[in-house]
Amino acid sequence: MDVNNIAALTGNLAVIGYGLAAVGPGIGVGLVVSKTIESIARQPELAARLQVTMWLGIAFTEALALIGLATPFIFA
Amino acid sequence: MINLLATVAHASSSGDAFEPPTIGEFFPNAVLFQGTIFEMNRIMMIRMLIVVLLIVIFSLWAGSFKKAYKTGKVVPSRFQLMGEISLNFVRNSIAHEQLGKKDGDRFLPLLTTIFFIVLGMNITGIIPTLNIAGTSVIGLPLVLALAAYVTFIYAGVKKHGLGFFKNSLFPAGVPVAFYILVTPIEFLSTFILRPVTLALRLMMNMIAGHLLLVLCFSATQFFFTSSLVEGAMRLFGGGTFLFGFAFTLFEILVAFLQAYVFTLLTTVYIQLAMADEH
């Protein structure tokens, strides 16, 4: 092994790619939920409708992470 | 029978080394009619089992509703109540909430079908001995997404004629020059990404859930039985087993949630297609 190498890495780059792809949706889902909690705290009687919207928002945001999960299989 | 239990016996099949789950999990060996288009593997058999179960349960529910209607019995039996609660959930909190009473009832058969098929196929992912979700291979989610796609385009065209395509591709209130930018984006998001994300969301959730469960439980098997593990390291097996158990509970939640989200999104797409002002 080359002396300049401190550590040799083995494995698949796609794993790092998915890690990066999960960051955005993670933050996104967190924002959606935190805002919903805030809104419900301000106006508890709207909880049911806000929750429906929250699930929709989560579904849209989470799709990005799932597309990231699919790409290694598509571009393998 | 060996084929049927292939997933369960995954970790033990290859001796002592730890073998993480692969995508091959979702392409089990054929059991019947190998090489023809009717090829049966255990996922197909699970799907057929669930379809038969759904048909039986729904006809029993229909029978009990009819009997109650005929005899004028006001207090429902336990089985009938279960049916009323499940069907009313889709009807009231999804269809009527988003579409209103009239249009909600128009699309209710499709929405109910989608909800119960997705729920039934998802829940097999955590039923012992079945252990894989019927929706974890692209075929079924694709068919359901296509049904949703055709339905929301039908709903839009029925209501607005060709104005539906104009509304969705050239939204009102945008400066004309911006249509160069807006129209391709709208086309992509409405007519391509909607069905693709519907199918992918469902399938990828189920795939990820199944892989997590297999990872946890094959690690448990590895730590408990492999000769490569020594001494106190075996205790890790208890940890992975607990994780696997927790994820199993989580998967029940995900199964219901994905059925709900799939139906809700279908409803919202129909509602957006029929909305007057874009």
Side-chain angles (χ1 to χ4, degrees):
Chain A
M1 196 204 285
D2 195 355
V3 226
N4 294 325
N5 276 352
I6 299 171
L9 287 176
T10 56
N12 199 335
L13 201 60
V15 176
I16 296 176
Y18 182 66
L20 289 176
V23 171
I27 296 172
V29 170
L31 280 179
V32 171
V33 178
S34 82
K35 287 290 173 188
T36 312
I37 294 172
E38 223 169 78
S39 316
I40 292 178
R42 284 170 192 231
Q43 209 144 356
E45 62 268 32
L46 276 183
R49 282 182 63 190
L50 289 170
Q51 265 163 10
V52 172
T53 322
M54 179 189 80
W55 289 124
L56 278 178
I58 289 180
F60 286 130
T61 319
E62 165 202 64
L64 295 174
L66 297 169
I67 289 171
L69 188 59
T71 39
F73 301 122
I74 296 167
F75 299 114
Chain B
M1 210 55 205
I2 302 287
N3 282 340
L4 297 183
L5 297 174
T7 349
V8 186
H10 190 86
S12 62
S13 60
S14 57
D16 277 344
F18 178 67
E19 199 182 306
T22 62
I23 204 67
E25 293 280 316
F26 301 98
F27 305 99
N29 301 330
V31 192
L32 270 178
F33 309 123
Q34 193 161 15
T36 66
I37 49 168
F38 300 109
E39 189 171 294
M40 292 278 284
N41 54 31
R42 57 189 294 275
I43 298 181
M44 282 313 284
M45 289 167 72
I46 287 169
R47 285 174 178 173
M48 290 189 159
L49 177 77
I50 291 299
V51 168
V52 171
L53 263 181
L54 280 179
I55 291 174
V56 168
I57 290 178
F58 269 76
S59 40
L60 285 178
W61 274 345
S64 77
F65 295 157
K66 209 177 272 173
K67 207 178 89 194
Y69 181 73
K70 228 178 236 167
T71 55
K73 197 170 63 131
V74 188
V75 182
S77 67
R78 199 171 292 174
F79 181 70
Q80 186 194 339
L81 192 66
M82 211 170 80
E84 282 177 15
I85 290 173
S86 334
L87 292 172
N88 268 335
F89 171 71
V90 182
R91 189 175 130 108
N92 293 339
S93 61
I94 299 179
H96 285 182
E97 180 98 347
Q98 302 292 326
L99 292 172
K101 275 212 163 59
K102 192 167 146 278
D103 287 325
D105 280 342
R106 248 176 87 207
F107 293 101
L108 191 58
L110 177 92
L111 298 175
T112 312
T113 314
I114 286 184
F115 181 82
F116 285 99
I117 285 189
V118 175
L119 178 60
M121 297 286 176
N122 282 353
I123 210 77
T124 57
I126 47 104
I127 293 178
T129 70
L130 297 182
N131 277 339
I132 196 162
T135 40
S136 57
V137 184
I138 192 70
L140 183 65
L142 205 59
V143 169
L144 294 172
L146 270 183
Y149 186 58
V150 170
T151 312
F152 86 74
I153 290 179
Y154 163 81
V157 171
K158 180 104 174 167
K159 179 99 186 255
H160 299 297
L162 287 178
F164 163 63
F165 294 105
K166 194 185 147 288
N167 276 346
S168 42
L169 292 181
F170 302 95
V174 178
V176 179
F178 279 175
Y179 281 141
I180 306 171
L181 267 178
V182 170
T183 305
I185 295 175
E186 286 292 315
F187 175 76
L188 200 69
S189 81
T190 308
F191 293 104
I192 295 177
L193 283 182
R194 271 184 192 180
V196 168
T197 50
L198 264 184
L200 265 189
R201 176 180 304 113
L202 179 56
M203 183 187 73
M204 281 300 159
N205 261 299
M206 289 303 118
I207 286 184
H210 178 77
L211 288 181
L212 266 176
L213 288 186
V214 177
L215 191 65
C216 285
F217 289 129
S218 60
T220 308
Q221 167 132 10
F222 170 75
F223 279 121
F224 279 161
T225 62
S226 170
S227 58
L228 300 173
V229 185
E230 284 162 1
M233 286 287 276
R234 288 207 187 279
L235 290 178
F236 278 115
T240 57
F241 180 77
L242 276 183
F243 265 119
F245 184 72
F247 273 119
T248 306
L249 296 182
F250 181 67
E251 281 305 302
I252 300 176
L253 175 74
V254 167
F256 277 94
L257 204 59
Q258 286 309 311
Y260 176 66
V261 163
F262 198 108
T263 323
L264 186 65
L265 281 177
T266 310
T267 324
V268 167
Y269 291 158
I270 292 171
Q271 192 242 325
L272 284 177
M274 295 203 306
D276 284 322
E277 191 63 40
H278 271 272

